[in-house]
Amino acid sequence: MSASQSLRAEAAKRILIKDGPYGTGIQGEKLSGEAYCAGLDLLKDQKGNNDLLNLTQPQVVRTICERFADVGAEILATNTFNANRISQADYAAEHLVGDINRASARIMREVADRYTAKDGKPRWIAGALGPTNKTLSLSPDVNDPAYREVDFDTVKDVYREQIDALVEGGVDFILVETVFDTLNAKAAIMATLEAEQALGRELPLMVSMTLTDLSGRNLSGHTVEAFWATVRHAKPVTIGLNCSFGASQLRPHLVALNGLADTLIMAYPNAGLPNDLGEYDEAAAETAAQVSEWFDAGLVNIVGGCCGTTPAHIAAIARAAEGRMSRKVPTAPRQTLLAGLEPMVIAA
């Protein structure tokens, strides 16, 4: 049975649990700049380069992963949100991209296999691709709306390098997450499809959009419905929302997606909104209570946590999900669905 088949089979029985963010856990370790670099000959200060820790402090990454697995996380994402050539350029560490991704995938794979060997419970590894710090849809220069810092082929190649390394490390899925620019996501999707063709086997996709305002659009202007219309051709195993706001603010947008998506829905919200210091105050019980309302409405198949959530939040969500029915995946309507910033249905 393939990874996508086993995931769908388990998701038909129960709500599955994804892990939480590595950034929050790493910040809690309060590592020094020297600990981040750990003797590597790099020109810039590496403090804050969380992805580099896969190489320099693997025990820190492994421990965070184990904490999530201990509280019920079954889908473990790699610590590779910024492990791409564009983002690593900020740290002059582009040459380490392949090593970082392979190392993170191997750490998570080892944890997943070890825990499954102990309890027989299936676990899956999702290779995390962040949006990079560039945008294909918008100009960074207000005086030149046509200007772009990068082009589509460059972003696709950047993602392909990351994907190939994650696959080599042993991931089950490619998770294109925190999508603020739909065109960036399409570059990641194309890179994944090309990698799949080169491998000669399935390389299933997970895609997760992030909303930048309460109207329900991402930064490139797409609604949730238009986003689905834009990426559905890739047949992702999961579609959904992450980051954005707290769980209560995501609910109406999950309702909209629920009626459209003929695949699994995965959502992992922030622990509310950050305070004036950029920290998250929402308690685990409060997050779990809000997510429970998703369960009542039958909106999700997989849940987890994003910014500000901790193993305590994931534990509370996992407890709330026990015995709850997973969302029923609808049959796709037979119609032509196109997307601009809004979806357009061409009636038969």
Side-chain angles (χ1 to χ4, degrees):
M1 185 181 293
S2 69
S4 60
Q5 288 172 329
S6 66
L7 186 81
R8 288 190 177 103
E10 291 298 317
K13 304 173 189 174
R14 57 194 171 83
I15 294 169
L16 302 181
I17 306 300
K18 184 192 172 297
D19 60 6
Y22 279 79
T24 301
I26 289 168
Q27 287 169 11
E29 297 294 325
K30 301 187 184 304
L31 299 173
S32 65
E34 291 75 17
Y36 274 88
C37 195
L40 290 179
D41 186 18
L42 295 169
L43 297 176
K44 292 187 177 181
D45 182 7
Q46 297 299 308
K47 190 168 185 178
N49 189 359
N50 293 341
D51 308 77
L52 188 64
L53 297 178
N54 295 305
L55 295 178
T56 58
Q57 302 292 341
Q59 75 283 357
V60 171
V61 178
R62 183 178 295 106
T63 297
I64 294 171
C65 183
E66 290 171 344
R67 288 170 183 161
F68 287 128
D70 284 337
V71 297
E74 305 157 272
I75 299 170
L76 305 171
T78 54
N79 176 42
T80 54
F81 188 80
N82 288 308
N84 62 76
R85 190 167 285 270
I86 291 174
S87 299
Q88 286 299 311
D90 290 347
Y91 297 97
E94 305 97 311
H95 60 291
L96 295 174
V97 162
D99 292 337
I100 290 171
N101 284 280
R102 280 186 290 271
S104 191
R106 287 167 180 160
I107 292 168
M108 278 59 179
R109 181 84 271 163
E110 186 276 329
V111 172
D113 291 349
R114 174 158 43 88
Y115 275 62
T116 295
K118 287 193 295 185
D119 61 16
K121 185 178 178 180
R123 291 174 177 83
W124 302 268
I125 306 302
L129 273 60
T132 81
N133 54 22
K134 306 295 182 187
T135 171
L136 286 167
S137 295
L138 303 169
S139 172
D141 185 352
V142 295
N143 297 313
D144 186 0
Y147 174 70
R148 299 292 186 272
E149 290 182 284
V150 288
D151 60 32
F152 186 90
D153 287 341
T154 297
V155 175
K156 177 176 69 69
D157 291 345
V158 163
Y159 279 130
R160 178 64 189 277
E161 178 185 25
Q162 186 176 10
I163 291 164
D164 286 345
L166 288 168
V167 169
E168 188 176 340
V171 302
D172 297 305
F173 304 98
I174 297 300
L175 169 59
V176 183
E177 64 175 347
T178 320
V179 177
F180 69 81
D181 183 339
T182 303
L183 194 54
N184 282 36
K186 288 176 76 69
I189 289 169
M190 181 172 282
T192 304
L193 296 176
E194 288 183 357
E196 180 180 65
Q197 188 174 31
L199 284 168
R201 64 172 175 82
E202 182 186 46
L203 183 55
L205 267 165
M206 296 172 159
V207 182
S208 188
M209 177 186 183
T210 189
L211 305 178
T212 53
D213 62 58
L214 292 175
S215 71
R217 295 180 186 270
N218 65 359
L219 192 62
S220 57
H222 293 87
T223 63
V224 170
E225 298 93 328
F227 181 75
W228 169 243
T230 303
V231 303
R232 67 194 292 261
H233 70 280
K235 296 181 171 57
V237 177
T238 72
I239 188 72
L241 300 169
N242 77 288
C243 202
S244 308
F245 320 107
S248 62
Q249 284 83 5
L250 285 186
R251 179 176 174 175
H253 308 296
L254 288 173
V255 170
L257 189 59
N258 176 50
L260 294 174
D262 56 335
T263 192
L264 303 177
I265 289 181
M266 178 167 69
Y268 44 115
N270 291 345
L273 293 172
N275 59 29
D276 291 341
L277 299 177
E279 297 177 348
Y280 292 82
D281 300 321
E282 187 172 281
E286 186 176 355
T287 302
Q290 293 175 26
V291 170
S292 291
E293 295 180 7
W294 299 354
F295 305 155
D296 295 339
L299 298 179
V300 291
N301 305 101
I302 305 167
V303 291
C306 203
C307 302
T309 59
T310 66
H313 289 80
I314 302 305
I317 290 170
R319 287 193 296 270
E322 289 179 2
R324 305 302 296 271
M325 293 295 293
S326 186
R327 165 184 172 267
K328 292 185 178 180
V329 179
T331 301
R334 294 184 62 84
Q335 59 189 17
T336 300
L337 176 64
L338 305 176
L341 297 184
E342 305 278 350
M344 182 177 74
V345 176
I346 300 179

